[in-house]
């Protein structure tokens, strides 16, 4: 897919105030600092469309971007940031849960995980929650530039084995690096395919 236009639409913390249009929507979620906003900039080829920071907790609201005038990309706050949760029940902010529960336009969620790390409880809990709520998701491994190719293969294999302890199948996944542009076409082509299905049905 070629990105012809990418525009910021709005930020808010109330899902009922998100854009009313029925355009297909794709949300990027994951722990703070995993690289959600950077990935959005890489995918759209716009350096500072989404705000990034070396400090966790930069993105605090639900941010909608309109891409090619026909689909929405959504940047969400990270979960797992110390200020956010106290009890294990409150693993992510209430409005994020509401976003996923109420946003019917959402086609799929992308859960970002740092390729260098073992599966984290909070990510597994979130995947489980999405599964229980019937929300489709893919995994995006981020920061692949930080590992050598054989280490990437090993980390992905380890991650898969660990996922397969609780899931029947490994979800669809992508290996990316925002700083090197790795995985851009894979993710965009996937979205393109899903969009084509949405507009046909
Ligand atoms: P919050 O909004 O705070 O939840 O963070 P985020 O997930 O949006 O992360 P963000 O995109 O702001 O990036 C966090 C830090 O990781 C920044 O310092 C980025 O430069 C860095 N980063 C993001 N993606 C990559 C990548 O692919 N490679 C490398 N090396 N660094 C990255
Ligand atoms: Mg962010």
């Amino acid at each position: 897919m070629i990105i012809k236009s990418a525009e910021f639409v709005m930020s808010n913390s109330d899902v009922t105030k998100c854009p009313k249009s029925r355009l297909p929507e794709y949300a990027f979620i994951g722990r703070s600092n995993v690289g959600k906003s950077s990935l959005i900039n890489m995918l759209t080829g716009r350096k500072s469309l989404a705000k990034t920071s070396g400090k966790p907790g930069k993105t605090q609201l639900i941010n909608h971007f309109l891409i090619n005038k026909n689909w929405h990309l959504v940047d969400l706050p990270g979960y797992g940031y110390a200020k956010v949760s106290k009890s294990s029940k409150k693993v992510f902010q209430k409005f994020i849960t509401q976003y996923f529960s109420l946003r019917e336009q959402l086609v799929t969620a992308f859960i970002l995980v740092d390729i260098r790390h073992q599966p984290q409880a909070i990510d597994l809990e979130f995947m489980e929650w999405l599964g229980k709520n019937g929300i489709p998701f893919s995994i995006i491994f981020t920061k692949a530039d930080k590992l050598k190719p054989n280490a990437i293969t090993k980390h992905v294999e380890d991650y898969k084995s660990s996922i397969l302890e609780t899931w029947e199948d490994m979800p669809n996944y992508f290996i990316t690096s925002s700083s090197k542009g790795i995985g851009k076409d894979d993710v965009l082509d996937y979205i393109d395919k899903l969009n084509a299905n949405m507009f046909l049905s």
Side-chain angles (χ1 to χ4, degrees):
M1 181 192 331
I2 295 165
I3 305 293
K4 294 185 209 120
S5 65
E7 304 152 51
F8 169 74
V9 182
M10 62 159 74
S11 293
N12 69 75
S13 61
D14 180 350
V15 65
T16 65
K17 296 198 177 116
C18 286
K20 296 270 180 289
S21 83
R22 305 294 304 174
L23 294 176
E25 188 158 306
Y26 300 84
F28 293 78
I29 181 85
R31 296 202 304 149
S32 265
N33 225 38
V34 69
K36 300 174 291 296
S37 303
S38 302
L39 186 80
I40 287 170
N41 292 337
M42 185 273 266
L43 292 175
T44 55
R46 309 293 191 274
K47 258 196 181 146
S48 44
L49 186 66
K51 290 186 188 126
T52 65
S53 165
K55 271 193 267 165
K58 178 68 181 174
T59 310
Q60 304 249 344
L61 296 165
I62 303 167
N63 299 289
H64 274 78
F65 300 95
L66 177 66
I67 313 299
N68 290 351
K69 314 250 183 233
N70 67 3
W71 57 281
H72 280 129
L73 197 156
V74 178
D75 190 15
L76 292 167
Y79 49 70
Y81 180 44
K83 273 193 189 161
V84 164
S85 62
K86 286 229 166 83
S87 75
S88 61
K89 276 190 184 159
K90 272 182 139 192
V91 283
F92 33 91
Q93 299 93 318
K94 202 169 166 210
F95 70 83
I96 299 184
T97 319
Q98 283 171 341
Y99 170 83
F100 283 101
S101 308
L102 298 175
R103 200 69 183 154
E104 289 173 357
Q105 297 89 330
L106 183 73
V107 178
T108 201
F110 291 102
I111 303 186
L112 276 63
V113 297
D114 188 318
I115 197 157
R116 295 168 295 176
H117 301 157
Q118 297 295 315
Q120 310 278 308
I122 196 161
D123 293 320
L124 297 173
E125 265 174 50
F126 189 63
M127 289 177 205
E128 201 181 313
W129 184 84
L130 288 176
K132 277 191 186 136
N133 286 277
I135 299 163
F137 66 89
S138 298
I139 295 175
I140 292 189
F141 292 102
T142 64
K143 310 194 184 183
D145 56 286
K146 301 260 194 185
L147 294 180
K148 297 221 161 67
N150 52 356
I152 290 178
T153 311
K154 184 175 185 316
H155 277 245
V156 171
E157 284 310 313
D158 288 352
Y159 205 96
K160 267 193 211 170
S161 316
S162 159
I163 290 278
L164 293 176
E165 285 170 18
T166 45
W167 289 81
E168 225 162 90
D169 299 304
M170 173 70 178
N172 194 17
Y173 68 89
F174 302 90
I175 295 167
T176 70
S177 159
S178 297
S179 49
K180 294 263 160 64
I182 298 168
K184 178 175 176 173
D185 292 342
D186 295 339
V187 177
L188 287 179
D189 289 349
Y190 181 66
I191 294 176
D192 211 12
K193 239 182 7 199
L194 292 175
N195 277 342
N197 287 342
M198 298 295 301
F199 290 123
L200 282 177
S201 59

